[in-house]
Amino acid sequence: MVAKGSTGTEKVKRGLAQMLKGGVIMDVTTPEQAVIAQEAGAVAVMALERIPADIRTAGGVARMSDLSIVQKIMDAVTIPVMAKVRIGHFAEAQVLEEIGIDFIDESEVLTPADDKYHVDKHAFKVPFVCGARDLGEALRRIAEGAAMIRTKGEAGSGNIVEAVKHMRAVRDEIAIVAAVPPEELVARARDLGVPHALLKEVARTKRLPVVNFCAGGVSTPADAALMMQLGAEGIFVGSGIFKSSNPAKFAKAIVEATTYFNDPKSVADACRSLEGTAMPGLEISKIPQDELLNVRGV
Amino acid sequence: MRGETSGKMAPIVGVLGLQGDVVEHLDALRRSGLSAVEVKTRESLAGVDGLIIPGGESTTVAKLVDRYALREPLVDRITAGMPTWGTCMGMIVLSKEIVGMPDQPTLGVLEIAVRRNAFGRQVESAEVPLAIPALGPQPFPGVFIRAPWVERAGPGVEVLCVLDGKGVMVRQGNIVGTSFHPELTRDGRLHRWFARLCGRAADAA
């Protein structure tokens, strides 16, 4: 740390998320996968014991990853390393901060530790990212101190439909809030369950006060281009890379489609370069209600 | 190719848009009344008078510059005198050498050796006021995020700001590097200072 510097400020926490914009963050479970991700051009990796598709299959309680795996991944790459904690499990977050993780995902993919409350993220120097399905969820997480938001989508499903729904919901609600007269904002803040000051800021700036990525269902380059055109500022890919038949090619192609999302020729080149098949997908309506991840922690 | 304001040609400043806080730089330039465009291709690079390489992940952008065939046109224009400013990642991408990481490619046009994540991991990222004599006596708000510092500088490199004994802002003729992120603040002095370099270079051309 530098002399006379203030660490852990909102600006430096939100700032790291800003540095990741336009990039792809990839789930990895081994140092070897982390190196493949970095080589492909990932801007960060999410260190996990199991990727969401396998968490889904395994069932049981999913917790913070084994620290020795997280540490090995931190040692293997120079890009930032993220890791997940259970919703509300501030002690898992303290442990990850202690080992020097760069970003914490308070994630619905793990089994929630608290059925009412999320972590007080202002209490940490390390920045947090949280999932959101709509503007209310996003602003509640930001009020708790989240430095970055991502759509929840439906992790491990290989199906983009939920992420699309969540990205559009946030975008449409921002458009409404920006259009209504100021006297409506107090009542709307009450209905959304969010602080009035935050909603006023959104109405004025016409965007979330933090970076907003897409997560939960991206499995092809075209999925990434779709989400970027819908307003995502970057992409998380969970199972989509290491559940595909050619991870290195898929990783590279999703990076290219994210960079050149509004140039169909580049996205077509990325699609042609795959040399393999995408992960198998799940129809959302076929997932039993009690196995849906995106309804956790609202 | 260049915009016009009050009868005088105003420079167009590009921001390399492969990854990172591109929009923050574009907004900072526009807040100061400057013309700014995103540069993602060879063609868009040809239309600018100066270039900012923003904050982001240097490992990523160094690879993308090669993958998308931008290395040669970038190096050609920078060595021909185009004013170029790298913030954080941008300074790393411009540098000659990354200490301890000989395998990471860079453009190699700025004669410095940088140390990546020199101040520590993200939990050590910090805000700190800086003395930058070139901008006057008022301190500049320094925002350091997983920031590099300048470990060694060649003879043609001026060190314009020092923090804890380490160079955090350097200039070598038309090339500028900062360890910190002026685009994350409301202080537009460095963007205006850089735009003046771009204007002078454009007028001389």
Side-chain angles (χ1 to χ4, degrees):
Chain A
M1 192 192 106
V2 299
K4 289 173 289 177
S6 326
T7 56
T9 62
E10 198 162 78
K11 194 182 276 294
V12 298
K13 292 200 281 187
R14 292 179 177 185
L16 179 56
Q18 289 169 283
M19 298 311 139
L20 302 174
K21 286 201 300 182
V24 181
I25 300 167
M26 303 183 189
D27 279 4
V28 299
T29 57
T30 64
E32 293 73 27
Q33 289 184 352
V35 170
I36 291 173
Q38 176 169 280
E39 207 45 48
V43 289
V45 290
M46 179 78 70
L48 287 164
E49 240 174 277
R50 283 183 299 215
I51 55 177
D54 292 335
I55 291 175
R56 195 175 271 293
T57 325
V61 174
R63 312 180 180 94
M64 174 180 76
S65 295
D66 180 340
L67 290 187
S68 68
I69 294 176
V70 177
Q71 190 67 57
K72 278 184 198 137
I73 290 170
M74 286 168 63
D75 295 341
V77 292
T78 58
I79 54 180
V81 178
M82 302 184 165
K84 291 185 194 291
V85 300
R86 286 178 265 177
I87 288 172
H89 207 314
F90 53 84
E92 284 185 346
Q94 289 162 353
V95 167
L96 288 177
E97 182 173 60
E98 176 59 31
I99 69 168
I101 203 83
D102 295 301
F103 229 112
I104 292 176
D105 183 5
E106 186 181 19
S107 176
E108 69 283 1
V109 170
L110 304 184
T111 311
D114 191 318
D115 65 347
K116 282 202 178 71
Y117 305 112
H118 283 69
V119 172
D120 169 23
K121 294 166 275 286
H122 294 292
F124 290 80
K125 281 188 172 177
V126 61
F128 280 71
V129 54
C130 288
R133 296 177 302 174
D134 51 40
L135 184 60
E137 277 188 40
L139 294 182
R140 285 194 292 279
R141 299 296 85 77
I142 293 165
E144 294 156 0
M148 180 179 188
I149 293 293
R150 55 171 174 76
T151 59
K152 284 178 168 173
E154 184 60 23
S157 71
N159 190 337
I160 198 67
V161 66
E162 294 296 304
V164 168
K165 198 193 290 179
H166 303 161
M167 189 57 70
R168 280 193 187 276
V170 170
R171 195 176 73 166
D172 294 352
E173 288 167 299
I174 289 175
I176 291 169
V177 165
V180 299
E183 66 269 20
E184 289 191 18
L185 291 179
V186 171
R188 285 182 184 269
R190 177 201 61 206
D191 294 346
L192 287 173
V194 303
H196 176 231
L198 264 182
L199 199 65
K200 263 202 321 199
E201 184 183 344
V202 170
R204 181 172 53 82
T205 58
K206 301 185 176 59
R207 55 158 298 140
L208 291 180
V210 303
V211 166
N212 188 17
F213 268 45
C214 161
V218 171
S219 36
T220 68
D223 286 347
L226 171 70
M227 296 312 301
M228 292 296 286
Q229 289 185 52
L230 287 173
E233 294 177 285
I235 301 287
F236 281 89
V237 192
S239 319
I241 289 173
F242 291 98
K243 279 285 165 191
S244 74
S245 66
N246 194 338
K249 287 269 163 66
F250 267 74
K252 229 169 148 173
I254 289 174
V255 169
E256 181 166 5
T258 302
T259 309
Y260 293 107
F261 65 89
N262 48 13
D263 174 24
K265 186 182 168 300
S266 297
V267 179
D269 288 345
C271 292
R272 268 194 292 266
S273 73
L274 292 174
E275 295 175 23
T277 50
M279 71 178 285
L282 297 170
E283 169 67 51
I284 302 296
S285 62
K286 302 278 162 46
I287 302 173
Q289 278 298 309
D290 60 347
E291 289 177 20
L292 279 177
L293 301 175
N294 74 51
V295 297
R296 293 169 164 179
V298 298
Chain B
M1 274 185 285
R2 289 161 51 193
E4 207 164 329
T5 49
S6 62
K8 221 187 151 199
M9 297 295 264
I12 296 176
V13 183
V15 181
L16 188 67
L18 293 180
Q19 191 272 317
D21 69 338
V22 182
V23 173
E24 286 76 355
H25 270 295
L26 293 170
D27 288 348
L29 290 163
R30 288 170 188 155
R31 271 201 303 273
S32 287
L34 299 157
S35 306
V37 294
E38 189 176 17
V39 169
K40 275 191 181 184
T41 60
R42 213 175 251 267
E43 294 72 37
S44 47
L45 178 63
V48 299
D49 299 307
L51 184 73
I52 294 176
I53 306 183
E57 275 310 309
S58 62
T59 317
T60 307
V61 170
K63 282 184 209 323
L64 299 187
V65 159
D66 282 322
R67 198 179 296 165
Y68 307 141
L70 288 166
R71 167 181 295 273
E72 198 193 313
L74 280 170
V75 171
D76 284 353
R77 285 223 52 197
I78 297 169
T79 49
M82 174 178 69
T84 306
W85 171 22
T87 56
C88 193
M89 162 195 94
M91 180 169 79
I92 297 170
V93 169
L94 290 167
S95 71
K96 191 90 184 173
E97 182 193 341
I98 305 173
V99 176
M101 302 179 64
D103 297 338
Q104 182 176 326
T106 63
L107 295 179
V109 290
L110 177 55
E111 297 284 336
I112 56 171
V114 295
R115 182 176 291 278
R116 284 190 55 188
N117 301 339
F119 297 96
R121 294 192 80 100
Q122 171 62 15
V123 288
E124 306 297 341
S125 291
E127 292 182 66
V128 53
L130 300 171
I132 306 178
L135 295 181
Q138 182 82 9
F140 192 87
V143 180
F144 291 82
I145 297 174
R146 282 170 50 96
W149 68 43
V150 178
E151 189 120 328
R152 293 188 300 278
V157 178
E158 289 172 86
V159 178
L160 299 179
C161 180
V162 172
L163 177 66
D164 287 1
K166 304 292 180 183
V168 294
M169 177 174 176
V170 293
R171 177 176 175 190
Q172 171 195 307
N174 59 310
I175 309 173
V176 180
T178 58
S179 301
F180 50 94
H181 295 280
E183 74 281 11
L184 297 185
T185 73
R186 303 293 291 186
D187 192 321
R189 282 181 290 163
L190 262 179
H191 284 86
R192 290 194 292 274
W193 177 83
F194 178 68
R196 284 196 293 276
L197 291 187
C198 299
R200 278 203 290 276
D203 289 340

